[in-house]
């Protein structure tokens, strides 16, 4: 029996998952890698490290399969970033990923120069870490390196090149570069012209489940992989996570707490926020778009608190123990509020200079109060983003919660109570990698449609219900939370280039 691989190239790790033709999970492997920050505001990764870790994970997955026959491979990846290759398809500079903040000057220039075109063409405002801004930064600050660039790719697309294919990308991931016309589903000639970026540097664009070739024979031999090894174009990790959570239709909403936090809902027509507080991008499902709200530092806020403030060289705290401690604290944490703006913030402020804060500190607050306040602050931040969706007339009949945060029963209960809605979680392991696998299975004809794939592969646990008393408390805290950004904004550091 043939198998299918889904590869999710995330921010901190790559995950490879294998399903058989019946849609049954058969193997999973993960490999981690670091974010490199050579100076404040920089967030880079080495593309060759991605490939090295991906090959390790593929080999491990293959070792667990009864047959190494792989029919199709799909790709998911961290969005927005830029990989710079020369004419020999070799990196000329480290990949600048989505968390990078060096391009504030370029972001200001793009916003001022393109103005209304950002909404009309790209469906979104620009932010640091987006490909458009990172490309301009490299062009302006390291012209001798930029002159060597022949191809500019999104992160996951580098893996396809290493598998022997010419450069390519897909409509979903490309739409989050801010160089793309989301309505026409092609690179924007106007934006590229205004920014003086040669369109020949960008790869051909395909639908996410479209077959683009087969893995090179030499790569198959190196990996020990047999079978056709058909490659499909893939999509961004948010699109694939939506697929892996069964989110393919309107009135369905995905809430994610991973490294960052996101709200995702599909659309049958592009709906753009005139204030550009959220993003409108193309979905991986043909004929669909989606809204995306983002808080940059969700699970990363809790990880930062643990690693930077709690852990020591001789002792490391356990997330499960922290969760159990926080469970004993009443909702609202005795008025302790947390703003999760440790990397600036996207929705609804689009402000890279925003900063995190604990507010209402008191001597009675202990470690567990801080842990729970972080969880509540992230949930309130996602609620703050959801209000923009509601302003645009978006309604949802089902909320699905995913990401590492969804593994915490406390975080599930907090988020359900903040949103005042039942929260579903899937039985799926590694939703984004599973979504990438769904792309491969639909693209190669294993399933006739996304509906068939989702109905076969995605099931849900009993939903987590909101706690009425918690909801009442969070309703009051939310009004305070929303006012804090404006109250503290004047104290945030000023933007600089």
């Amino acid at each position: 029996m043939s198998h299918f691989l889904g590869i999710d190239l995330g921010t901190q790790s790559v995950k490879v998952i294998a399903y058989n033709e019946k849609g049954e999970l058969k193997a999973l492997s993960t490999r981690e890698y670091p974010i490199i920050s050579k100076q404040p505001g920089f967030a880079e990764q080495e593309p060759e490290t991605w490939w090295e870790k991906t090959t390790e994970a593929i080999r491990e997955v293959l070792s667990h399969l009864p047959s190494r026959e792989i029919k199709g491979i799909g790709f998911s990846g961290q969005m927005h970033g830029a990989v710079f290759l020369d004419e020999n398809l070799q990196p000329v500079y480290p990949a600048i990923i989505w968390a990078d903040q060096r391009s504030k000057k370029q972001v200001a220039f793009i916003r001022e120069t393109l103005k209304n075109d950002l909404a009309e063409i790209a469906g979104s405002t620009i932010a640091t870490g987006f490909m458009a801004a990172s490309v301009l930064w490299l062009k302006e600050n390291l012209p001798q390196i930029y002159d060597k660039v022949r191809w500019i790719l999104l992160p996951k697309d580098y893996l396809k090149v290493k598998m022997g294919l010419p450069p390519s990308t897909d409509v979903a991931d490309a739409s989050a570069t801010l160089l793309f016309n989301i309505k026409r589903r092609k690179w924007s000639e106007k934006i590229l012209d205004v920014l003086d970026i040669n369109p020949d540097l960008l790869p051909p664009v395909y639908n996410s489940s479209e077959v683009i070739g087969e893995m090179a024979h030499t790569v198959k031999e190196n990996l020990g992989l047999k079978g056709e090894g058909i490659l499909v174009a893939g999509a961004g990790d948010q699109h694939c996570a939506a697929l892996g959570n069964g989110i393919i239709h309107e009135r369905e909403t995905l809430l994610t707490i991973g490294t960052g936090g996101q709200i995702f809902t599909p659309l049958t027509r592009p709906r753009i926020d005139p204030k550009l507080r959220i993003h409108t991008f193309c979905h991986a499902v043909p004929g669909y778009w989606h809204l995306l709200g983002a808080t940059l530092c969700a699970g990363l806020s809790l990880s930062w608190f643990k690693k930077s403030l709690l852990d020591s060289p001789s002792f490391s705290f356990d997330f499960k123990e922290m969760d159990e401690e926080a469970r004993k604290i009443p909702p609202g944490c005795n008025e302790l509020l947390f703003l999760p703006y440790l990397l600036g913030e996207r929705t609804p402020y689009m402000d890279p200079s925003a900063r995190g804060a604990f507010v209402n500190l008191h001597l009675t607050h202990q470690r567990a109060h801080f842990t729970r306040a972080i969880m509540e602050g992230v949930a309130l931040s996602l609620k703050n983003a959801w209000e923009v969706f509601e302003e645009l007339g978006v309604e949802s009949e089902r909320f699905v919660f995913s990401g590492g945060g969804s593994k915490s029963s406390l975080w599930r209960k907090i988020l359900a109570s903040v949103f005042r809605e039942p929260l579903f979680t899937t039985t799926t392991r590694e939703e984004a990698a599973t979504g990438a696998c769904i792309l491969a299975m639909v693209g190669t004809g294993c399933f006739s449609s996304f509906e068939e794939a989702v109905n076969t592969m995605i099931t849900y646990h009993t939903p987590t219900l909101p706690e009425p008393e918690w909801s009442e408390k969070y309703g009051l805290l939310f009004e305070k939370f929303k006012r804090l950004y404006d109250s503290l904004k004047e104290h945030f550091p000023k933007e600089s280039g």
Side-chain angles (χ1 to χ4, degrees):
M1 180 181 289
S2 293
H3 292 79
F4 298 82
L5 298 183
I7 301 174
D8 175 34
L9 187 77
T11 305
Q12 297 174 298
S13 65
V14 61
K15 302 172 182 69
V16 178
I17 202 164
Y19 283 85
N20 65 16
E21 295 170 349
K22 297 179 180 179
E24 298 169 334
L25 173 63
K26 289 300 177 181
L28 168 66
S29 178
T30 301
R31 292 292 188 279
E32 296 182 351
Y33 38 73
I35 298 174
I36 302 166
S37 185
K38 294 182 292 190
Q39 62 188 74
F42 279 41
E44 300 176 344
Q45 288 177 326
E46 292 293 344
E48 281 302 308
T49 300
W50 291 338
W51 177 239
E52 174 189 338
K53 297 301 181 181
T54 299
T55 58
E56 290 178 8
I58 290 175
R59 289 191 183 103
E60 182 176 353
V61 164
L62 292 175
S63 72
H64 294 297
L65 300 180
S67 164
R68 292 173 175 262
E69 294 284 331
I70 302 298
K71 182 172 183 179
I73 303 173
F75 300 87
S76 162
Q78 51 170 292
M79 297 162 63
H80 310 303
V83 182
F84 304 97
L85 305 183
D86 63 17
E87 60 182 7
N88 297 315
L89 303 179
Q90 298 299 310
V92 298
Y93 191 77
I96 301 176
I97 68 171
W98 65 270
D100 192 273
Q101 294 182 299
R102 76 186 73 179
S103 56
K104 294 177 182 177
K105 176 182 175 183
Q106 288 72 31
V107 164
F109 170 77
I110 292 171
R111 287 177 178 173
E112 176 61 27
T113 304
L114 289 169
K115 295 182 178 176
N116 294 335
D117 286 332
L118 283 175
E120 181 61 27
I121 299 174
S124 171
T125 190
I126 186 76
T128 54
F130 277 45
M131 179 185 282
S134 297
V135 169
L136 285 194
W137 183 90
L138 189 74
K139 182 180 180 183
E140 294 170 10
N141 290 275
L142 297 171
Q144 71 279 12
I145 292 178
Y146 187 79
D147 288 344
K148 299 177 182 178
V149 175
R150 172 61 187 89
W151 294 103
I152 305 171
L153 303 182
L154 286 147
K156 72 168 190 330
D157 298 324
Y158 181 71
L159 301 182
K160 293 180 287 182
V161 169
K162 295 298 290 185
M163 291 181 180
L165 269 63
S168 66
T169 193
D170 65 281
V171 296
D173 214 2
S175 67
T177 63
L178 270 288
L179 298 172
F180 200 73
N181 187 317
I182 65 164
K183 296 176 182 176
R184 300 179 63 191
R185 294 181 179 250
K186 59 182 290 187
W187 297 115
S188 169
E189 297 175 359
K190 182 170 185 179
I191 292 178
L192 291 171
D193 181 60
V194 170
L195 300 183
D196 192 26
I197 297 173
N198 184 348
D200 291 339
L201 299 179
L202 299 169
V205 184
Y206 299 87
N207 284 323
S208 292
S209 59
E210 191 170 350
V211 172
I212 57 173
E214 292 185 9
M215 183 183 291
H217 181 70
T218 54
V219 181
K220 289 182 187 178
E221 285 189 333
N222 181 47
L223 294 173
L225 183 149
K226 299 178 181 179
E228 297 174 81
I230 299 170
L231 309 183
V232 301
D237 54 4
Q238 293 306 306
H239 314 103
C240 288
L243 292 177
N245 281 281
I247 305 295
I248 58 175
H249 296 301
E250 286 191 314
R251 304 179 75 85
E252 298 174 333
T253 301
L254 179 64
L255 303 173
T256 302
I257 294 179
T259 302
Q262 295 86 23
I263 303 182
F264 182 112
T265 191
L267 305 169
T268 54
R269 61 179 177 83
R271 190 178 304 187
I272 299 169
D273 174 30
K275 297 179 183 178
L276 294 179
R277 294 164 294 177
I278 57 178
H279 309 292
T280 304
F281 298 140
C282 300
H283 197 356
V285 179
Y288 275 82
W289 289 259
H290 71 89
L291 294 180
L292 180 68
T295 184
L296 289 176
C297 209
L300 188 56
S301 291
L302 194 61
S303 178
W304 159 81
F305 177 66
K306 172 188 172 313
K307 295 177 181 179
S308 298
L309 299 181
L310 298 185
D311 291 351
S312 70
S314 59
F315 184 80
S316 179
F317 282 78
D318 182 85
F319 280 114
K320 290 184 179 179
E321 293 178 358
M322 292 169 62
D323 196 89
E324 287 299 320
E325 280 189 344
R327 195 182 306 275
K328 300 173 184 177
I329 303 301
C333 304
N334 298 341
E335 304 306 316
L336 182 63
L337 276 167
F338 173 69
L339 299 186
Y341 308 150
L342 304 180
L343 286 172
E345 189 54 309
R346 292 257 183 93
T347 310
Y349 306 117
M350 297 296 176
D351 184 359
S353 293
R355 291 295 180 266
F358 285 102
V359 178
N360 289 336
L361 278 169
H362 190 270
L363 282 174
T364 57
H365 289 129
Q366 303 298 314
R367 178 177 63 225
H369 290 86
F370 287 89
T371 299
R372 180 158 184 152
I374 290 171
M375 291 178 165
E376 293 177 345
V378 170
L380 292 170
S381 184
L382 289 173
K383 175 70 172 179
N384 205 15
W386 175 247
E387 282 203 335
V388 181
F389 286 56
E390 292 181 313
E391 283 183 34
L392 297 179
V394 173
E395 297 178 348
S396 186
E397 297 174 353
R398 182 177 61 164
F399 288 85
V400 179
F401 183 22
S402 75
S406 69
K407 307 302 187 288
S408 163
S409 61
L410 175 59
W411 224 335
R412 292 198 301 271
K413 180 66 76 172
I414 289 171
L415 196 59
S417 300
V418 166
F419 275 75
R420 300 174 185 257
E421 295 282 353
L423 283 189
F424 290 85
T425 55
T426 71
T427 61
T428 307
R429 295 184 64 187
E430 301 301 342
E431 295 94 336
T434 295
C437 213
I438 288 174
L439 290 175
M441 297 172 86
V442 172
T444 58
C446 179
F447 290 118
S448 62
S449 67
F450 286 101
E451 287 81 2
E452 183 186 5
V454 165
N455 291 338
T456 301
M457 298 174 62
I458 310 302
T459 57
Y460 300 93
H461 296 290
T462 301
T464 299
L465 302 179
E467 189 70 42
E469 291 183 3
W470 293 20
S471 294
E472 183 177 354
K473 179 63 177 178
Y474 291 144
L476 297 174
L477 285 178
F478 182 54
E479 295 305 315
K480 296 180 180 179
F481 180 90
K482 288 191 294 182
R483 293 194 294 268
L484 283 174
Y485 173 81
D486 288 331
S487 298
L488 296 175
K489 184 177 180 179
E490 64 177 291
H491 303 292
F492 297 152
K494 302 299 181 183
E495 289 193 25
S496 58

